[in-house]
Amino acid sequence: MLDIIIRRALDIVGRTERLIEACRRLLDSEGLDEVEVYELDCEIERLGDAVFVADKAIRSLASTVECWPQVAQAHGILRTLH
């Protein structure tokens, strides 16, 4: 179950990164007025920050999950998570 969550979350991160790049290309196309450019640029910055934090958290979760079998054996925990 956690592996599915991790894969899906990393997929969301990848899609968001592609969306950010598309927005940056839109900014470069000069089809927007100054206010729209500024607002879009601010949103891209916030979204980029959020994606960075999410990516870091997901990768941390993934590495924690990889260690669980060793922890379970060391503490006698032999349950399956569902």
Side-chain angles (χ1 to χ4, degrees), residues 15-64:
R15 289 178 184 200
T16 304
E17 288 172 339
R18 290 190 294 277
L19 177 62
I20 290 170
E21 287 305 313
C23 289
R24 286 192 174 134
R25 286 192 301 275
L26 178 62
L27 286 174
D28 292 339
S29 72
E30 298 179 14
L32 303 171
D33 65 32
E34 287 183 32
V35 174
E36 291 171 322
V37 168
Y38 177 77
E39 290 173 350
L40 185 56
D41 190 47
C42 289
E43 287 301 317
I44 290 170
E45 197 65 36
R46 282 189 223 121
L47 187 56
D49 293 344
V51 167
F52 177 75
V53 170
D55 185 60
K56 186 175 177 182
I58 293 161
R59 292 184 190 284
S60 176
L61 176 62
S63 63
T64 300

Side-chain angles (χ1 to χ4, degrees), residues 1-11 58-59 61-63 65:
M1 179 67 169
L2 282 174
D3 61 329
I4 294 170
I5 292 170
I6 292 168
R7 277 189 267 131
R8 298 277 191 239
L10 289 174
D11 183 48
I58 293 161
R59 292 184 190 284
L61 176 62
S63 63
V65 169

